[in-house]
């Protein structure tokens, strides 16, 4: 029997017959090789019951490596789900972003086929069928879905009704509807999408939880949907601004969002309730962790960045309340938002970002932050407790949108966002690596940093100038001659900030950038090493008349190689 709390959350009574008394019965739905979608983004709003039961089933029946899935999520989920799945060898493919030691281990050992992607592009590429295109060639798949085989698709009398049809002239509506219908049938689909909701409305639409992410698109292309209604959490009704997935080009329309607090969609996500095969009650909170404490380095990085913003205000390149801010996740990002919340001159600030962390609550508490738009609220356990206790105070200042909108290049550019993100390393010409240590070892993925850095009015990356290795407190220089992997080119980033200072690269040629980066941002232990590399490179390239970006290819990665061999990037010479 459904609990009283679940009954109070499911207002469409016809769906109550889909409530599963024993969620373990759902295990039989899942077969090896299936394509699965989960809701969730940065470890919140993800399903917490069904994935754990599947992991239990694999562990109890020694099915490690025998029951594997292709997993699609807007970003990362909780450690008890995807990280445990990775440890049990349950993941074949994973897109487009992940977090966890075991899943990283699986990727870097070659057991998990992972590809990262700009988070604004992932949902649309999913709907385009880019991730399921090979599946359509499978004989097994064609037999299961004969109407989705491109070669035998036929027009049907009943055309799909799209919310976008009314935007087109009468003479175009028929062709639009046919096109929209055919595209949906041609693309292939996910076998099952599992989502977390906090309420189901009378019209069958759902109220999501602490994230939106790619949930609209994951539901759109799913054959079956399992809804986990989380009664441990309050209903998040009113916090979301959700649009249905956009039609494909050439029928796509602009997002009519010109202010951070514009509402352009609905507080609930409409779904096809015929797809729903099960409703499960969940009573587990989002499994987040405490934030890393600020230290002297992160605080100094934050102060340097804020001083740069003050100079921009003084130079009248940005207004006194800044432009809308985007901030990545992590301890440096938390320090920056914390310092901004304490800056006495800042008022009426707005945020247009992916993820809200704990220090944004302090920003609100100080009366300095007017409004924040994101796709998830990823607080620590203490932060969530504070958020829920003061729901009425915070909820009216926050809006959660699908990641295709929160990370939309169109909107980021229109609003003039100031983007701030953390790299793994940068090089002396201004390229940045956000994903692969020493060029090969994947960390988490690109995330949304590229969406924002390529389109922001001011693109900022912040990093310590050096990090410890196992044997040397400053054994890893975060500034190198050339990045071992490049996610963001010299054309994408305007400003670099370390605890040493600020390198403003706007308007500078590549050779001018070198001095700015080395002298203002490099750690003192590495400044002489980097200066000498550039001096020798300049001499070498002058003879060949290749002075635009001087390099010595034979020793380009000598610092990285020395780290692998000797545990430090400090080298004696460039011979």
């Amino acid at each position: 029997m459904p609990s009283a709390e679940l009954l109070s959350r499911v207002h469409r009574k016809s769906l109550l017959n889909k409530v599963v008394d024993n969620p373990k019965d759902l295990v039989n739905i899942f077969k090896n090789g299936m394509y699965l979608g989960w809701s969730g983004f940065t470890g919140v709003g993800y399903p917490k019951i069904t994935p754990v039961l599947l992991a239990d089933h694999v562990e109890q029946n020694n099915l490690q490596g025998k029951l594997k899935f292709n997993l699609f999520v807007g970003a990362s989920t909780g450690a008890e789900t995807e990280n445990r799945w990775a440890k049990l060898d349950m993941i074949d493919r994973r897109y487009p972003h992940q977090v966890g030691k075991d899943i990283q281990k699986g990727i870097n050992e070659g057991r998990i086929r992972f590809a990262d992607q700009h988070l604004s592009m992932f949902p649309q590429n999913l709907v385009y069928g880019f991730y399921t295109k090979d599946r359509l060639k499978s004989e097994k798949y064609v037999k299961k879905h004969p109407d989705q085989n491109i070669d035998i698709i036929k027009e049907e009398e009943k055309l799909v009704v799209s919310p976008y049809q009314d935007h087109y002239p009468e003479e175009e509506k028929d062709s639009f509807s046919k096109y929209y219908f055919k595209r949906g049938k041609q693309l292939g689909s996910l076998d099952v999408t599992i989502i977390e909701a906090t309420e189901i409305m009378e019209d069958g639409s759902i109220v999501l939880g602490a994230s939106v992410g790619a949930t609209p698109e994951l539901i759109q292309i799913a054959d079956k949907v399992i809804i986990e209604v989380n009664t441990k959490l309050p209903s998040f009704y009113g916090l979301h601004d959700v649009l249905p997935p956009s039609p494909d080009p050439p029928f796509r329309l602009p997002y009519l969002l010109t202010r951070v607090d514009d509402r352009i969609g609905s507080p609930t996500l409409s779904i096809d309730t015929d797809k729903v095969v099960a409703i499960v009650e969940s009573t587990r909170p989002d499994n987040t962790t405490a934030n890393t404490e600020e230290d002297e380095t992160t605080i100094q990085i934050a102060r340097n960045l804020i001083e740069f913003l003050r100079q921009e205000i003084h130079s009248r390149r940005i207004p006194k309340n800044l432009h809308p801010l985007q901030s990545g996740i992590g301890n440096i990002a938390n320090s920056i938002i914390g310092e901004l919340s304490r800056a006495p001159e800042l008022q009426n600030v707005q945020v247009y970002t992916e993820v809200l962390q704990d220090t944004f609550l302090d920003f609100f508490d100080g009366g300095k932050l007017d409004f924040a738009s994101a796709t998830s609220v990823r607080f620590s356990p203490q932060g969530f407790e504070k958020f829920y206790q003061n729901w009425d105070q915070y909820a009216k200042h926050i809006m959660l949108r699908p990641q295709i909108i929160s990370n939309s290049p169109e909107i980021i550019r229109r609003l003039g966002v100031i983007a701030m993100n953390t790299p793994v390393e940068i090089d002396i010409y201004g390229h940045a690596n956000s994903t692969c240590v020493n060029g090969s070892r994947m960390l988490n993925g690109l995330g949304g940093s590229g969406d924002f850095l390529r389109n922001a009015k001011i693109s900022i990356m912040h990093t310590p100038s050096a990090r410890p290795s196992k044997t040397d407190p400053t054994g890893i220089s975060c500034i190198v001659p050339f990045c071992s992997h490049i996610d963001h080119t010299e054309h994408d980033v305007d400003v670099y900030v370390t605890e040493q200072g600020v390198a403003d690269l706007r308007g500078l040629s590549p050779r001018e950038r070198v001095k700015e980066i080395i002298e203002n941002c490099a750690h003192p232990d590495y400044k002489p090493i980097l200066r000498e590399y550039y001096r020798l490179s300049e001499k070498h390239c002058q003879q060949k008349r290749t002075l635009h970006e001087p390099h010595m290819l034979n020793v380009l990665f000598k610092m990285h190689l020395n780290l692998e061999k000797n545990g430090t990037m400090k080298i004696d010479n460039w011979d």
Side-chain angles (χ1 to χ4, degrees), residues 2-3 6 10 15-16 18-26 29-30 47-51 53 194-197 200 225-231 276-283:
S3 70
L6 181 62
V10 181
L15 287 177
L16 289 175
K18 296 186 179 181
V19 174
V20 176
D21 292 329
N22 186 359
K24 290 183 180 180
D25 294 340
L26 296 177
I29 293 176
F30 298 91
K48 303 169 179 66
I49 303 299
T50 313
L53 289 174
I194 314 169
I195 62 167
E196 179 174 84
I200 301 176
V225 175
I226 297 173
I227 303 175
E228 296 189 1
V229 179
N230 196 322
T231 57
V276 178
V277 296
I279 295 175
V280 178
E281 183 173 11
S282 173
T283 56

mmCIF file of all heavy atoms in Angstrom, residues 2-3 6 10 15-16 18-26 29-30 47-51 53 194-197 200 225-231 276-283:
data_model
loop_
_atom_site.group_PDB
_atom_site.id
_atom_site.type_symbol
_atom_site.label_atom_id
_atom_site.label_comp_id
_atom_site.label_asym_id
_atom_site.label_seq_id
_atom_site.Cartn_x
_atom_site.Cartn_y
_atom_site.Cartn_z
ATOM 1 N N PRO A 2 0.529 2.260 -0.823
ATOM 2 C CA PRO A 2 1.286 3.512 -0.794
ATOM 3 C C PRO A 2 1.169 4.174 0.569
ATOM 4 O O PRO A 2 0.126 4.106 1.222
ATOM 5 C CB PRO A 2 0.597 4.356 -1.874
ATOM 6 C CG PRO A 2 -0.159 3.383 -2.723
ATOM 7 C CD PRO A 2 -0.542 2.267 -1.813
ATOM 8 N N SER A 3 2.246 4.815 0.988
ATOM 9 C CA SER A 3 2.219 5.523 2.272
ATOM 10 C C SER A 3 1.338 6.759 2.153
ATOM 11 O O SER A 3 1.043 7.239 1.052
ATOM 12 C CB SER A 3 3.635 5.940 2.668
ATOM 13 O OG SER A 3 4.098 6.975 1.811
ATOM 14 N N LEU A 6 3.174 9.489 0.320
ATOM 15 C CA LEU A 6 3.202 9.321 -1.133
ATOM 16 C C LEU A 6 1.849 9.670 -1.733
ATOM 17 O O LEU A 6 1.766 10.320 -2.783
ATOM 18 C CB LEU A 6 3.592 7.881 -1.492
ATOM 19 C CG LEU A 6 3.687 7.567 -2.984
ATOM 20 C CD1 LEU A 6 4.767 8.420 -3.645
ATOM 21 C CD2 LEU A 6 3.972 6.086 -3.218
ATOM 22 N N VAL A 10 1.073 12.367 -4.996
ATOM 23 C CA VAL A 10 0.636 11.919 -6.323
ATOM 24 C C VAL A 10 -0.820 12.342 -6.511
ATOM 25 O O VAL A 10 -1.748 11.710 -5.999
ATOM 26 C CB VAL A 10 0.783 10.395 -6.494
ATOM 27 C CG1 VAL A 10 0.336 9.966 -7.903
ATOM 28 C CG2 VAL A 10 2.224 9.961 -6.257
ATOM 29 N N LEU A 15 -2.503 7.258 -11.686
ATOM 30 C CA LEU A 15 -1.127 6.766 -11.634
ATOM 31 C C LEU A 15 -0.852 5.942 -10.380
ATOM 32 O O LEU A 15 0.189 5.291 -10.287
ATOM 33 C CB LEU A 15 -0.138 7.936 -11.707
ATOM 34 C CG LEU A 15 0.001 8.627 -13.069
ATOM 35 C CD1 LEU A 15 0.963 9.809 -12.971
ATOM 36 C CD2 LEU A 15 0.478 7.652 -14.136
ATOM 37 N N LEU A 16 -1.758 5.978 -9.421
ATOM 38 C CA LEU A 16 -1.513 5.237 -8.185
ATOM 39 C C LEU A 16 -1.468 3.722 -8.418
ATOM 40 O O LEU A 16 -0.832 2.993 -7.652
ATOM 41 C CB LEU A 16 -2.591 5.567 -7.147
ATOM 42 C CG LEU A 16 -2.514 6.987 -6.558
ATOM 43 C CD1 LEU A 16 -3.697 7.250 -5.652
ATOM 44 C CD2 LEU A 16 -1.193 7.187 -5.801
ATOM 45 N N LYS A 18 0.177 2.389 -10.556
ATOM 46 C CA LYS A 18 1.531 2.079 -11.008
ATOM 47 C C LYS A 18 2.548 2.137 -9.860
ATOM 48 O O LYS A 18 3.744 1.953 -10.084
ATOM 49 C CB LYS A 18 1.949 3.029 -12.125
ATOM 50 C CG LYS A 18 1.078 2.870 -13.370
ATOM 51 C CD LYS A 18 1.563 3.704 -14.535
ATOM 52 C CE LYS A 18 0.669 3.481 -15.751
ATOM 53 N NZ LYS A 18 1.120 4.252 -16.937
ATOM 54 N N VAL A 19 2.064 2.412 -8.662
ATOM 55 C CA VAL A 19 2.950 2.410 -7.497
ATOM 56 C C VAL A 19 3.388 0.974 -7.208
ATOM 57 O O VAL A 19 2.561 0.059 -7.130
ATOM 58 C CB VAL A 19 2.257 3.022 -6.266
ATOM 59 C CG1 VAL A 19 3.141 2.865 -5.025
ATOM 60 C CG2 VAL A 19 1.944 4.495 -6.509
ATOM 61 N N VAL A 20 4.680 0.790 -7.048
ATOM 62 C CA VAL A 20 5.247 -0.537 -6.822
ATOM 63 C C VAL A 20 5.437 -0.746 -5.326
ATOM 64 O O VAL A 20 6.151 0.024 -4.668
ATOM 65 C CB VAL A 20 6.594 -0.680 -7.557
ATOM 66 C CG1 VAL A 20 7.238 -2.028 -7.256
ATOM 67 C CG2 VAL A 20 6.385 -0.513 -9.058
ATOM 68 N N ASP A 21 4.803 -1.785 -4.788
ATOM 69 C CA ASP A 21 4.938 -2.071 -3.360
ATOM 70 C C ASP A 21 6.332 -2.590 -3.021
ATOM 71 O O ASP A 21 6.903 -2.237 -1.993
ATOM 72 C CB ASP A 21 3.889 -3.099 -2.929
ATOM 73 C CG ASP A 21 2.472 -2.541 -2.995
ATOM 74 O OD1 ASP A 21 2.319 -1.318 -2.783
ATOM 75 O OD2 ASP A 21 1.544 -3.308 -3.269
ATOM 76 N N ASN A 22 6.876 -3.429 -3.890
ATOM 77 C CA ASN A 22 8.212 -3.982 -3.670
ATOM 78 C C ASN A 22 9.115 -3.569 -4.830
ATOM 79 O O ASN A 22 9.099 -4.192 -5.899
ATOM 80 C CB ASN A 22 8.157 -5.500 -3.569
ATOM 81 C CG ASN A 22 9.515 -6.096 -3.206
ATOM 82 O OD1 ASN A 22 10.497 -5.370 -3.040
ATOM 83 N ND2 ASN A 22 9.578 -7.409 -3.079
ATOM 84 N N PRO A 23 9.912 -2.517 -4.649
ATOM 85 C CA PRO A 23 10.756 -2.028 -5.752
ATOM 86 C C PRO A 23 11.716 -3.077 -6.311
ATOM 87 O O PRO A 23 12.183 -2.944 -7.450
ATOM 88 C CB PRO A 23 11.514 -0.863 -5.103
ATOM 89 C CG PRO A 23 10.659 -0.419 -3.978
ATOM 90 C CD PRO A 23 10.024 -1.666 -3.454
ATOM 91 N N LYS A 24 12.008 -4.119 -5.535
ATOM 92 C CA LYS A 24 12.911 -5.165 -6.037
ATOM 93 C C LYS A 24 12.340 -5.848 -7.277
ATOM 94 O O LYS A 24 13.093 -6.411 -8.077
ATOM 95 C CB LYS A 24 13.162 -6.203 -4.942
ATOM 96 C CG LYS A 24 14.018 -5.688 -3.783
ATOM 97 C CD LYS A 24 14.276 -6.790 -2.768
ATOM 98 C CE LYS A 24 15.135 -6.262 -1.615
ATOM 99 N NZ LYS A 24 15.404 -7.324 -0.604
ATOM 100 N N ASP A 25 11.011 -5.799 -7.434
ATOM 101 C CA ASP A 25 10.384 -6.407 -8.605
ATOM 102 C C ASP A 25 10.815 -5.721 -9.897
ATOM 103 O O ASP A 25 10.700 -6.313 -10.982
ATOM 104 C CB ASP A 25 8.866 -6.352 -8.481
ATOM 105 C CG ASP A 25 8.341 -7.212 -7.324
ATOM 106 O OD1 ASP A 25 9.077 -8.109 -6.891
ATOM 107 O OD2 ASP A 25 7.207 -6.965 -6.871
ATOM 108 N N LEU A 26 11.306 -4.488 -9.797
ATOM 109 C CA LEU A 26 11.698 -3.739 -10.991
ATOM 110 C C LEU A 26 12.980 -4.272 -11.616
ATOM 111 O O LEU A 26 13.271 -3.970 -12.776
ATOM 112 C CB LEU A 26 11.880 -2.253 -10.651
ATOM 113 C CG LEU A 26 10.629 -1.501 -10.179
ATOM 114 C CD1 LEU A 26 10.986 -0.077 -9.809
ATOM 115 C CD2 LEU A 26 9.561 -1.522 -11.263
ATOM 116 N N ILE A 29 13.031 -5.738 -15.128
ATOM 117 C CA ILE A 29 12.881 -4.889 -16.316
ATOM 118 C C ILE A 29 14.218 -4.734 -17.043
ATOM 119 O O ILE A 29 14.258 -4.587 -18.269
ATOM 120 C CB ILE A 29 12.340 -3.495 -15.914
ATOM 121 C CG1 ILE A 29 10.897 -3.624 -15.403
ATOM 122 C CG2 ILE A 29 12.417 -2.506 -17.066
ATOM 123 C CD1 ILE A 29 10.327 -2.312 -14.894
ATOM 124 N N PHE A 30 15.306 -4.796 -16.295
ATOM 125 C CA PHE A 30 16.613 -4.395 -16.825
ATOM 126 C C PHE A 30 17.383 -5.591 -17.376
ATOM 127 O O PHE A 30 17.547 -6.617 -16.710
ATOM 128 C CB PHE A 30 17.410 -3.695 -15.728
ATOM 129 C CG PHE A 30 16.743 -2.443 -15.234
ATOM 130 C CD1 PHE A 30 15.859 -2.483 -14.160
ATOM 131 C CD2 PHE A 30 16.961 -1.237 -15.865
ATOM 132 C CE1 PHE A 30 15.218 -1.334 -13.722
ATOM 133 C CE2 PHE A 30 16.332 -0.082 -15.442
ATOM 134 C CZ PHE A 30 15.458 -0.130 -14.367
ATOM 135 N N PRO A 47 17.940 9.455 -9.131
ATOM 136 C CA PRO A 47 17.179 8.359 -8.523
ATOM 137 C C PRO A 47 18.045 7.592 -7.535
ATOM 138 O O PRO A 47 19.198 7.273 -7.821
ATOM 139 C CB PRO A 47 16.800 7.486 -9.730
ATOM 140 C CG PRO A 47 17.826 7.786 -10.759
ATOM 141 C CD PRO A 47 18.198 9.223 -10.563
ATOM 142 N N LYS A 48 17.477 7.249 -6.380
ATOM 143 C CA LYS A 48 18.268 6.685 -5.290
ATOM 144 C C LYS A 48 17.843 5.270 -4.888
ATOM 145 O O LYS A 48 18.524 4.636 -4.079
ATOM 146 C CB LYS A 48 18.183 7.603 -4.074
ATOM 147 C CG LYS A 48 18.643 9.037 -4.391
ATOM 148 C CD LYS A 48 18.300 9.992 -3.268
ATOM 149 C CE LYS A 48 18.779 11.401 -3.594
ATOM 150 N NZ LYS A 48 18.081 12.000 -4.745
ATOM 151 N N ILE A 49 16.728 4.803 -5.419
ATOM 152 C CA ILE A 49 16.214 3.482 -5.036
ATOM 153 C C ILE A 49 16.542 2.431 -6.093
ATOM 154 O O ILE A 49 17.242 1.451 -5.826
ATOM 155 C CB ILE A 49 14.694 3.537 -4.801
ATOM 156 C CG1 ILE A 49 14.360 4.589 -3.715
ATOM 157 C CG2 ILE A 49 14.181 2.159 -4.399
ATOM 158 C CD1 ILE A 49 14.982 4.303 -2.357
ATOM 159 N N THR A 50 16.045 2.621 -7.302
ATOM 160 C CA THR A 50 16.212 1.610 -8.361
ATOM 161 C C THR A 50 17.670 1.324 -8.678
ATOM 162 O O THR A 50 18.064 0.145 -8.762
ATOM 163 C CB THR A 50 15.445 2.046 -9.625
ATOM 164 O OG1 THR A 50 14.134 2.478 -9.263
ATOM 165 C CG2 THR A 50 15.358 0.897 -10.614
ATOM 166 N N PRO A 51 18.540 2.334 -8.859
ATOM 167 C CA PRO A 51 19.944 2.024 -9.151
ATOM 168 C C PRO A 51 20.621 1.234 -8.032
ATOM 169 O O PRO A 51 21.446 0.341 -8.307
ATOM 170 C CB PRO A 51 20.580 3.406 -9.330
ATOM 171 C CG PRO A 51 19.456 4.288 -9.738
ATOM 172 C CD PRO A 51 18.280 3.789 -8.973
ATOM 173 N N LEU A 53 19.113 -0.838 -5.895
ATOM 174 C CA LEU A 53 18.584 -2.207 -5.927
ATOM 175 C C LEU A 53 19.237 -3.025 -7.043
ATOM 176 O O LEU A 53 19.517 -4.211 -6.868
ATOM 177 C CB LEU A 53 17.072 -2.170 -6.117
ATOM 178 C CG LEU A 53 16.253 -1.685 -4.921
ATOM 179 C CD1 LEU A 53 14.792 -1.559 -5.299
ATOM 180 C CD2 LEU A 53 16.415 -2.632 -3.734
ATOM 181 N N ILE A 194 15.001 6.730 -15.550
ATOM 182 C CA ILE A 194 14.592 6.739 -14.142
ATOM 183 C C ILE A 194 14.775 8.152 -13.616
ATOM 184 O O ILE A 194 15.886 8.708 -13.712
ATOM 185 C CB ILE A 194 15.424 5.758 -13.297
ATOM 186 C CG1 ILE A 194 15.545 4.395 -13.997
ATOM 187 C CG2 ILE A 194 14.817 5.580 -11.917
ATOM 188 C CD1 ILE A 194 16.567 3.470 -13.356
ATOM 189 N N ILE A 195 13.740 8.733 -13.079
ATOM 190 C CA ILE A 195 13.827 10.125 -12.626
ATOM 191 C C ILE A 195 13.367 10.245 -11.182
ATOM 192 O O ILE A 195 12.582 9.432 -10.685
ATOM 193 C CB ILE A 195 12.980 11.063 -13.509
ATOM 194 C CG1 ILE A 195 11.496 10.677 -13.446
ATOM 195 C CG2 ILE A 195 13.474 11.059 -14.940
ATOM 196 C CD1 ILE A 195 10.580 11.720 -14.036
ATOM 197 N N GLU A 196 13.887 11.270 -10.533
ATOM 198 C CA GLU A 196 13.392 11.622 -9.197
ATOM 199 C C GLU A 196 12.465 12.812 -9.319
ATOM 200 O O GLU A 196 12.769 13.800 -10.007
ATOM 201 C CB GLU A 196 14.545 11.966 -8.258
ATOM 202 C CG GLU A 196 14.051 12.361 -6.869
ATOM 203 C CD GLU A 196 15.161 12.567 -5.862
ATOM 204 O OE1 GLU A 196 15.731 13.677 -5.826
ATOM 205 O OE2 GLU A 196 15.452 11.615 -5.111
ATOM 206 N N ALA A 197 11.311 12.710 -8.658
ATOM 207 C CA ALA A 197 10.342 13.801 -8.589
ATOM 208 C C ALA A 197 10.013 14.065 -7.131
ATOM 209 O O ALA A 197 10.242 13.221 -6.257
ATOM 210 C CB ALA A 197 9.076 13.441 -9.364
ATOM 211 N N ILE A 200 3.740 14.752 -8.162
ATOM 212 C CA ILE A 200 3.109 14.531 -9.459
ATOM 213 C C ILE A 200 1.772 15.256 -9.441
ATOM 214 O O ILE A 200 0.930 15.012 -8.572
ATOM 215 C CB ILE A 200 2.906 13.032 -9.754
ATOM 216 C CG1 ILE A 200 4.253 12.297 -9.739
ATOM 217 C CG2 ILE A 200 2.221 12.844 -11.102
ATOM 218 C CD1 ILE A 200 4.136 10.796 -9.937
ATOM 219 N N VAL A 225 9.441 4.859 -18.453
ATOM 220 C CA VAL A 225 9.853 5.812 -17.420
ATOM 221 C C VAL A 225 9.487 5.253 -16.051
ATOM 222 O O VAL A 225 8.362 4.778 -15.839
ATOM 223 C CB VAL A 225 9.186 7.187 -17.626
ATOM 224 C CG1 VAL A 225 9.526 8.127 -16.465
ATOM 225 C CG2 VAL A 225 9.613 7.807 -18.957
ATOM 226 N N ILE A 226 10.457 5.290 -15.149
ATOM 227 C CA ILE A 226 10.225 4.967 -13.746
ATOM 228 C C ILE A 226 10.375 6.262 -12.954
ATOM 229 O O ILE A 226 11.380 6.965 -13.088
ATOM 230 C CB ILE A 226 11.214 3.906 -13.233
ATOM 231 C CG1 ILE A 226 11.019 2.584 -13.980
ATOM 232 C CG2 ILE A 226 11.066 3.695 -11.726
ATOM 233 C CD1 ILE A 226 12.066 1.534 -13.661
ATOM 234 N N ILE A 227 9.383 6.583 -12.139
ATOM 235 C CA ILE A 227 9.421 7.804 -11.335
ATOM 236 C C ILE A 227 9.623 7.429 -9.872
ATOM 237 O O ILE A 227 8.845 6.660 -9.314
ATOM 238 C CB ILE A 227 8.126 8.623 -11.477
ATOM 239 C CG1 ILE A 227 7.856 8.968 -12.950
ATOM 240 C CG2 ILE A 227 8.211 9.904 -10.641
ATOM 241 C CD1 ILE A 227 6.531 9.682 -13.168
ATOM 242 N N GLU A 228 10.666 7.969 -9.284
ATOM 243 C CA GLU A 228 10.884 7.834 -7.847
ATOM 244 C C GLU A 228 10.424 9.128 -7.180
ATOM 245 O O GLU A 228 11.044 10.177 -7.364
ATOM 246 C CB GLU A 228 12.358 7.560 -7.548
ATOM 247 C CG GLU A 228 12.859 6.229 -8.101
ATOM 248 C CD GLU A 228 14.257 5.878 -7.606
ATOM 249 O OE1 GLU A 228 14.825 6.667 -6.805
ATOM 250 O OE2 GLU A 228 14.777 4.823 -8.013
ATOM 251 N N VAL A 229 9.344 9.056 -6.441
ATOM 252 C CA VAL A 229 8.817 10.235 -5.743
ATOM 253 C C VAL A 229 9.474 10.295 -4.370
ATOM 254 O O VAL A 229 9.257 9.428 -3.522
ATOM 255 C CB VAL A 229 7.286 10.173 -5.607
ATOM 256 C CG1 VAL A 229 6.780 11.409 -4.863
ATOM 257 C CG2 VAL A 229 6.636 10.075 -6.983
ATOM 258 N N ASN A 230 10.279 11.327 -4.169
ATOM 259 C CA ASN A 230 11.040 11.440 -2.929
ATOM 260 C C ASN A 230 10.229 12.204 -1.888
ATOM 261 O O ASN A 230 10.071 13.423 -1.973
ATOM 262 C CB ASN A 230 12.377 12.145 -3.184
ATOM 263 C CG ASN A 230 13.356 11.946 -2.044
ATOM 264 O OD1 ASN A 230 12.974 11.942 -0.879
ATOM 265 N ND2 ASN A 230 14.620 11.771 -2.381
ATOM 266 N N THR A 231 9.711 11.460 -0.903
ATOM 267 C CA THR A 231 8.900 12.077 0.148
ATOM 268 C C THR A 231 9.741 12.539 1.339
ATOM 269 O O THR A 231 9.213 13.119 2.281
ATOM 270 C CB THR A 231 7.824 11.094 0.629
ATOM 271 O OG1 THR A 231 8.459 9.881 1.090
ATOM 272 C CG2 THR A 231 6.859 10.762 -0.494
ATOM 273 N N VAL A 276 4.981 5.729 -18.307
ATOM 274 C CA VAL A 276 5.308 5.428 -16.912
ATOM 275 C C VAL A 276 4.942 3.976 -16.605
ATOM 276 O O VAL A 276 3.789 3.578 -16.694
ATOM 277 C CB VAL A 276 4.574 6.380 -15.951
ATOM 278 C CG1 VAL A 276 4.891 6.026 -14.501
ATOM 279 C CG2 VAL A 276 4.948 7.827 -16.246
ATOM 280 N N VAL A 277 5.940 3.194 -16.237
ATOM 281 C CA VAL A 277 5.697 1.778 -15.926
ATOM 282 C C VAL A 277 5.725 1.513 -14.427
ATOM 283 O O VAL A 277 5.268 0.459 -13.982
ATOM 284 C CB VAL A 277 6.729 0.870 -16.631
ATOM 285 C CG1 VAL A 277 6.588 0.969 -18.135
ATOM 286 C CG2 VAL A 277 8.166 1.206 -16.206
ATOM 287 N N ALA A 278 6.266 2.450 -13.659
ATOM 288 C CA ALA A 278 6.327 2.227 -12.212
ATOM 289 C C ALA A 278 6.551 3.542 -11.486
ATOM 290 O O ALA A 278 7.225 4.450 -11.994
ATOM 291 C CB ALA A 278 7.447 1.249 -11.864
ATOM 292 N N ILE A 279 5.982 3.632 -10.300
ATOM 293 C CA ILE A 279 6.239 4.739 -9.371
ATOM 294 C C ILE A 279 6.738 4.131 -8.068
ATOM 295 O O ILE A 279 6.135 3.204 -7.526
ATOM 296 C CB ILE A 279 4.979 5.577 -9.135
ATOM 297 C CG1 ILE A 279 4.553 6.277 -10.440
ATOM 298 C CG2 ILE A 279 5.207 6.613 -8.033
ATOM 299 C CD1 ILE A 279 3.246 7.031 -10.335
ATOM 300 N N VAL A 280 7.845 4.657 -7.596
ATOM 301 C CA VAL A 280 8.496 4.128 -6.401
ATOM 302 C C VAL A 280 8.621 5.258 -5.384
ATOM 303 O O VAL A 280 8.939 6.388 -5.746
ATOM 304 C CB VAL A 280 9.908 3.589 -6.742
ATOM 305 C CG1 VAL A 280 10.611 3.086 -5.488
ATOM 306 C CG2 VAL A 280 9.818 2.492 -7.798
ATOM 307 N N GLU A 281 8.369 4.951 -4.129
ATOM 308 C CA GLU A 281 8.596 5.960 -3.088
ATOM 309 C C GLU A 281 10.056 5.926 -2.656
ATOM 310 O O GLU A 281 10.630 4.870 -2.417
ATOM 311 C CB GLU A 281 7.709 5.738 -1.873
ATOM 312 C CG GLU A 281 7.899 6.824 -0.813
ATOM 313 C CD GLU A 281 6.921 6.728 0.342
ATOM 314 O OE1 GLU A 281 6.212 5.701 0.443
ATOM 315 O OE2 GLU A 281 6.859 7.679 1.151
ATOM 316 N N SER A 282 10.652 7.109 -2.582
ATOM 317 C CA SER A 282 12.028 7.250 -2.104
ATOM 318 C C SER A 282 12.022 8.091 -0.840
ATOM 319 O O SER A 282 11.284 9.068 -0.738
ATOM 320 C CB SER A 282 12.902 7.928 -3.166
ATOM 321 O OG SER A 282 14.186 8.220 -2.669
ATOM 322 N N THR A 283 12.851 7.699 0.102
ATOM 323 C CA THR A 283 12.944 8.462 1.357
ATOM 324 C C THR A 283 14.403 8.780 1.688
ATOM 325 O O THR A 283 14.758 8.934 2.847
ATOM 326 C CB THR A 283 12.311 7.669 2.517
ATOM 327 O OG1 THR A 283 12.952 6.390 2.608
ATOM 328 C CG2 THR A 283 10.823 7.484 2.303
#
